[in-house]
Amino acid sequence: MRSSGDGAERGSMMGKQGTFRLKAGLAEMQKGGVIMDVTTPEQARIAEEAGAVAVMALERVPADIRAAGGVARMADPEVILRIMDAVTIPVMAKARIGHFVEAQILQALGIDYIDESEVLTPADEDYHINKQEFTVPFVCGARNLGEALRRIGEGAAMIRTKGEPGTGNVVEAVRHMRIMQSELRKLLHTPDEELMTLAKLMGAPYELLKEIKNLGRLPVVNFAAGGIATPADAALMMQLGSDGIFVGSGIFKSKDPKARAKAVVEAALHYDDAQILAEVSKGLGEAMPGLEIASIRKEERMQERGW
Amino acid sequence: MRSLKIGVLALQGAAREHLFALQKCGAEAVLVKHGEQLTELDGLVLPGGESTTIGKLLTRYGLADPIRELAASGKALFGTCAGMILLARTITASEQFSLGLLDIEVTRNAFGRQRESFEAELVMPVLGEEPFCALFIRAPLVEKIGGKVQVLATYGGRVVAARQGKVLVTSFHPELTADLRLHRYFLSLALEAEKKAGGPFSFERYEGD
């Protein structure tokens, strides 16, 4: 495999670049915030105006990708560049799982964060991208702690739950966040002599298990994603321990995207204040149409992509 | 040192990291989401995050005036990255909200996008001889400073840390490294009895030391 040619930890007149703490640091700056999927510069401006901490530049939101079927790929660079021009907040974009050339292209475009995402059709069914080779940080989806730590081991600087994208159904995001939190609690109480066996069972790097036990938490931020459609969904995920929220189809597939975007931002902030949540949830119009997970065949579930 | 009570604005961003740093320095630190929490504080930290998001939430939830009152009562303020933008008087070529508590003009994302983010060893005379490891993440720069602003650090000849009275700002993120010297320096400002330097603002372009 060719190296990305623009590897991590470059030295230059600007000092050291692409270090892990610069990558994870950007994600730390997004904490408590909402990252919104957008497909046009106008949507990007609506998201920024509502108070989004970043936007995800896409050709289609997950609900439309799901409806369209076929192979979903990285967005057209022109779509991405127009969105980058429209806003001052960070812009993320998705590459297919294992498609390191799409990631190289996104890095060359100057994208701020790459999502190696199960929403797109995987390019490699065995291997994820070696994210350590890149200067730009990556976020990856996970359903449990082992999967999260495999991605961090490959260089991911931010984790999100997979949930089930494009469904407007929060149940899978809840499942994944609960599993991660529960496994994390278990790890923190595991005696040192049992860590290697736990690493083997989880399929996770031993060194990372040791580091987490030392830190008392994950070494990177963990956002919720996949099926979040209402301010209450966002607050639920925050109360379950998420560091922040990704909203995919939930904003721009709803009746009133402006009002809903603003409400979700405020719900992520005041997630533990039911009075404020009641206030911001009022009069938002219809949410996006939802999908029952059981109605999606297993092989069509996006969360099954990646390992 | 008596125990100072310092708030960390927790509307969005890296509030927790500042909280831990302040606690390690021996201060009592609390996360602040509501204006009424500000009255009982000896100082306030505005953390890194997205300045557009924090600015909008500040105004929507009525925190701007209580923060200005806190500054007017002579309490210390410390803004890092987004916090520096929010404390500035002017933001270059932008309509974005800022509190205007420090006589500086800042440019957002002055070094470029995330791939241009960098680490550098900064010499900061107020912290002593040992350089400070500074993380610049999509960082802003001080473009112009008023006459009462003291420059604390420069990088490539441009201002990346400054102070006016008890208002302290940095382009970079001391909350992301283990070095506590800047937080200690901020706490020493919070302890000082003198009132914040006020007076009319005047601008001049910063031409180097």
Side-chain angles (χ1 to χ4, degrees):
Chain A
M1 174 178 141
R2 252 188 90 241
S3 127
S4 67
D6 202 8
E9 305 231 4
R10 289 187 295 170
S12 78
M13 276 174 63
M14 300 273 257
K16 258 198 281 181
Q17 294 181 312
T19 64
F20 189 75
R21 56 184 181 178
L22 289 170
K23 295 176 178 177
L26 179 59
E28 297 287 348
M29 297 309 138
Q30 309 263 287
K31 272 190 304 201
V34 181
I35 298 165
M36 300 181 192
D37 279 6
V38 299
T39 57
T40 63
E42 293 68 41
Q43 289 185 355
R45 279 190 284 266
I46 289 171
E48 185 176 47
E49 192 47 44
V53 290
V55 292
M56 178 79 70
L58 294 167
E59 260 177 43
R60 283 193 284 231
V61 295
D64 290 335
I65 290 175
R66 189 179 284 288
V71 174
R73 312 176 181 92
M74 175 186 81
D76 181 340
E78 208 157 292
V79 171
I80 295 171
L81 287 169
R82 279 206 304 268
I83 290 169
M84 284 165 63
D85 274 348
V87 291
T88 60
I89 56 180
V91 179
M92 303 185 169
K94 292 184 193 293
R96 283 179 262 179
I97 289 173
H99 206 315
F100 52 86
V101 173
E102 284 188 348
Q104 289 166 8
I105 291 169
L106 292 175
Q107 174 160 287
L109 290 174
I111 208 80
D112 295 297
Y113 235 93
I114 298 171
D115 184 4
E116 186 183 18
S117 177
E118 66 280 5
V119 166
L120 306 181
T121 311
D124 193 321
E125 295 190 331
D126 296 314
Y127 305 108
H128 284 251
I129 297 170
N130 179 8
K131 294 164 274 288
Q132 286 172 350
E133 286 197 340
F134 289 77
T135 309
V136 164
F138 279 74
V139 55
C140 287
R143 288 162 298 180
N144 53 54
L145 188 59
E147 192 173 8
L149 298 188
R150 289 192 289 280
R151 298 293 86 79
I152 296 168
E154 293 158 355
M158 181 182 194
I159 292 295
R160 53 171 177 76
T161 59
K162 282 183 166 173
E164 189 54 42
T167 61
N169 189 342
V170 78
V171 67
E172 295 302 302
V174 167
R175 187 192 320 281
H176 300 159
M177 187 54 76
R178 280 205 182 272
I179 291 172
M180 276 194 242
Q181 298 287 356
S182 146
E183 290 177 340
L184 197 55
R185 284 191 296 270
K186 184 177 172 227
L187 163 58
L188 296 182
H189 291 96
T190 300
D192 287 349
E193 69 273 19
E194 294 180 18
L195 281 184
M196 185 59 87
T197 302
L198 187 62
K200 176 188 159 199
L201 294 173
M202 285 174 57
Y206 173 64
E207 295 301 325
L208 274 177
L209 294 191
K210 282 205 298 190
E211 186 188 342
I212 290 170
K213 212 187 146 188
N214 261 332
L215 280 173
R217 56 173 173 80
L218 277 179
V220 301
V221 304
N222 184 17
F223 272 44
I228 294 154
T230 67
D233 288 350
L236 172 67
M237 296 312 301
M238 294 299 286
Q239 287 200 27
L240 286 173
S242 305
D243 290 314
I245 303 291
F246 280 90
V247 189
S249 321
I251 305 282
F252 291 100
K253 283 282 158 190
S254 75
K255 275 270 145 42
D256 186 350
K258 251 184 213 173
R260 186 163 296 266
K262 188 165 166 277
V264 173
V265 167
E266 294 179 23
L269 164 60
H270 292 296
Y271 64 87
D272 53 357
D273 187 329
Q275 281 301 330
I276 295 181
L277 292 175
E279 197 54 46
V280 304
S281 299
K282 275 187 206 160
L284 298 179
E286 234 174 284
M288 70 175 284
L291 264 182
E292 191 67 67
I293 305 299
S295 71
I296 309 166
R297 284 185 308 172
K298 198 162 188 288
E299 59 274 21
E300 284 172 7
R301 291 182 195 166
M302 290 170 173
Q303 61 176 286
E304 304 293 333
R305 297 164 165 178
W307 61 277
Chain B
M1 195 196 268
R2 84 179 161 88
S3 180
L4 292 163
K5 187 168 180 183
I6 305 292
V8 181
L9 190 68
L11 297 178
Q12 190 276 315
R16 188 178 62 189
E17 287 64 28
H18 274 295
L19 189 85
F20 293 158
L22 291 164
Q23 286 169 345
K24 278 184 201 155
C25 295
E28 185 187 348
V30 291
L31 296 177
V32 171
K33 282 191 185 183
H34 301 280
E36 59 267 25
Q37 291 174 273
L38 288 165
T39 52
E40 53 194 45
L41 300 176
D42 297 306
L44 180 71
V45 175
L46 289 83
E50 279 306 314
S51 61
T52 51
T53 303
I54 301 172
K56 285 173 205 304
L57 292 169
L58 261 182
T59 48
R60 273 184 219 164
Y61 284 94
L63 279 127
D65 285 338
I67 293 175
R68 288 187 180 117
E69 282 158 26
L70 189 78
S73 72
K75 303 292 168 60
L77 298 177
F78 184 12
T80 61
C81 194
M84 171 168 111
I85 296 166
L86 288 161
L87 287 171
R89 188 188 180 212
T90 318
I91 303 167
T92 310
S94 171
E95 306 278 282
Q96 197 184 319
F97 168 84
S98 70
L99 291 160
L101 293 171
L102 187 71
D103 194 7
I104 57 173
E105 180 182 321
V106 300
T107 305
R108 288 186 58 206
N109 304 332
F111 297 93
R113 306 194 71 98
Q114 173 62 15
R115 65 179 176 193
E116 278 82 44
S117 292
F118 64 99
E119 298 183 7
E121 299 285 325
L122 286 186
V123 179
M124 295 189 71
V126 291
L127 300 183
E129 275 182 19
E130 198 190 323
F132 191 92
C133 177
L135 270 58
F136 292 84
I137 299 177
R138 286 175 51 94
L141 257 181
V142 179
E143 203 68 49
K144 296 175 188 171
I145 59 169
K148 288 178 174 161
V149 176
Q150 181 190 354
V151 173
L152 299 182
T154 60
Y155 183 76
R158 307 181 71 181
V159 180
V160 294
R163 172 197 161 189
Q164 180 180 0
K166 291 188 180 186
V167 184
L168 173 67
V169 292
T170 63
S171 298
F172 51 91
H173 293 283
E175 71 272 30
L176 291 181
T177 47
D179 193 336
L180 294 172
R181 284 179 293 164
L182 263 168
H183 287 90
R184 287 207 190 95
Y185 179 69
F186 166 65
L187 291 174
S188 75
L189 296 183
L191 262 184
E192 272 175 35
E194 83 195 22
K195 285 270 179 193
K196 178 176 85 72
F201 288 139
S202 67
F203 273 100
E204 57 195 53
R205 185 166 284 279
Y206 180 70
E207 306 282 6
D209 295 305

